Amino acid sequence: MSESRGIYTSAILVSAFAMSISDPAAAQSAGREHPAAAEMSEIIVTAEKISENLQHVPLAVTAIGEKQLAQFHATQLTDIGGYVPGMQIDSTGTPGQTTVAIRGIGGLDNNATASMYIDETPIGANAPDQRGGVYMLDILPYDVQRIEVLAGPQGTLYGANAFGGVVKYVLTKPNLDHTDVRVGVDGFSISHAQDAGFGVHAMVNTPIIQDKLGVLFSYSKLDTPGFIDNANTGQKDQNTVKQQSARFSILGQPSDDLKVRLGVLYSDIKADGNASIPLDNTDNPKPLYSGYTDNNFAPNIYDDRMYYYSLDLNWDPDWGNFVSATSY
């Protein structure tokens, strides 16, 4: 018997730099409208495959925006589980090795009941032997605009695997009218870990042709130290985790009602071991060893690498709305 611990207690020290370059006239206009900005801003989601105000969506939707993700210092899916009503995320202690249950509907025989999406594309396995229910999509959310959680069932719009609901990563789109440059460095510590954690991230989001063509480049890396020792091998901190993500996206808007976006996303998770400790086989299980100590003879290595290519087309004529999503 083992006990998994997927939530780290850490102290975060963050330093970041951000720059935005936009039209001066627009900035002056925004300044004149400053009193109105104090009102609550609307939340836009794409739960029904179109961009609309959250208040107009006839679904149970929770949206966590990029500012909230930064405030939570979210680096994996488990970091948002406690902020979404009716959502439970269980983990073996590494990003990606997670089980998602929404409204109490969890995985069935390794099948996922919550569908994972990047924008309009489903990501993940759907066959029992592929264990899609315990290997969920988990990417560094640095340039994620928001994460939407839709309570199920959502089979009409999102397919058979969305019986329990949908977890949707909505990626930041390239800018067509201003330039954003962001650079950040993270430092943190974890209880019982001998080493400190370190991360870097950067993003450039800029138009190439004003109001017509824009590009986005981003990169993020996070090294999380381990805190589980090994009683058999004597190894210290055997569950270190290294995460990386890189992204390129280009957005073209040849006309007011047509947008075409091409994107490439790379994600890599490497874990030297799981954050788990063995328990005894008594009626009231207790750890076999004091502290955070495991007794595995072979490393519990986890390696998850993803290359994601996408082409999205949005055509919004006066008489309707057309969305096309192609991915590999």
Side-chain angles (χ1 to χ4, degrees):
M1 183 180 295
S2 65
E3 177 184 13
S4 298
R5 299 182 180 273
I7 300 179
Y8 301 149
T9 302
S10 59
I12 310 299
L13 299 175
V14 182
S15 62
F17 169 75
M19 176 177 64
S20 176
I21 303 175
S22 58
D23 180 59
Q28 293 178 2
S29 175
R32 290 195 297 269
E33 298 176 359
H34 180 72
E39 300 178 1
M40 182 178 296
S41 60
E42 64 178 7
I43 300 175
I44 303 299
V45 297
T46 57
E48 294 190 297
K49 304 289 187 178
I50 58 175
S51 298
E52 56 186 336
N53 192 321
L54 177 61
Q55 295 181 344
H56 300 159
V57 179
L59 305 171
V61 182
T62 300
I64 301 178
E66 58 182 343
K67 291 184 178 179
Q68 291 175 298
L69 292 172
Q71 291 172 352
F72 301 159
H73 192 72
T75 61
Q76 54 183 300
L77 200 58
T78 54
D79 292 332
I80 70 167
Y83 300 95
V84 180
M87 184 179 184
Q88 178 178 337
I89 302 177
D90 296 321
S91 172
T92 59
T94 66
Q97 295 191 83
T98 52
T99 301
V100 175
I102 302 176
R103 286 181 173 173
I105 303 176
L108 302 173
D109 295 331
N110 290 327
N111 272 334
T113 56
S115 186
M116 308 295 293
Y117 269 71
I118 296 179
D119 290 326
E120 302 302 329
T121 303
I123 303 292
N126 53 19
D129 58 343
Q130 296 172 321
R131 303 184 67 190
V134 293
Y135 295 119
M136 309 297 287
L137 175 68
D138 208 333
I139 59 177
L140 272 174
Y142 172 59
D143 67 346
V144 173
Q145 186 177 11
R146 65 183 175 274
I147 298 177
E148 299 177 9
V149 179
L150 290 66
Q154 297 293 341
T156 302
L157 290 176
Y158 292 96
N161 282 354
F163 177 72
V166 175
V167 179
K168 188 175 185 180
Y169 290 86
V170 180
L171 302 181
T172 303
K173 295 178 176 60
N175 293 328
L176 299 179
D177 57 359
H178 66 280
T179 297
D180 286 338
V181 179
R182 302 179 185 179
V183 179
V185 178
D186 299 340
F188 58 96
S189 63
I190 295 179
S191 299
H192 305 283
Q194 294 183 339
D195 299 324
F198 177 77
V200 295
H201 43 81
M203 182 177 71
V204 177
N205 191 353
T206 183
I208 298 177
I209 302 176
Q210 191 73 13
D211 298 325
K212 294 294 183 182
L213 187 67
V215 296
L216 180 149
F217 301 91
S218 73
Y219 174 78
S220 57
K221 179 180 180 181
L222 185 70
D223 291 347
T224 303
F227 55 92
I228 301 293
D229 298 334
N230 193 307
N232 289 328
T233 65
Q235 183 180 357
K236 301 292 185 180
D237 300 343
Q238 68 173 5
N239 62 313
T240 59
V241 180
K242 297 182 182 296
Q243 295 171 263
Q244 285 190 90
S245 69
R247 180 172 168 240
F248 167 77
S249 182
I250 182 168
L251 173 65
Q253 184 172 317
S255 62
D256 292 340
D257 59 359
L258 179 63
K259 293 182 179 180
V260 181
R261 180 173 52 150
L262 175 67
V264 179
L265 172 66
Y266 167 76
S267 175
D268 189 19
I269 302 172
K270 286 186 172 66
D272 294 334
N274 294 329
S276 60
I277 58 176
L279 307 178
D280 57 31
N281 291 320
T282 61
D283 293 336
N284 296 311
K286 297 179 180 179
L288 288 177
Y289 307 95
S290 62
Y292 295 91
T293 305
D294 203 349
N295 60 355
N296 54 293
F297 285 97
N300 296 316
I301 296 175
Y302 176 72
D303 191 350
D304 182 8
R305 188 176 303 170
M306 179 182 69
Y307 299 89
Y308 167 73
Y309 309 90
S310 63
L311 176 63
D312 299 333
L313 185 148
N314 284 268
W315 183 36
D316 191 15
D318 295 335
W319 48 267
N321 181 271
F322 177 78
V323 177
S324 173
T326 305
S327 65
Y328 174 78

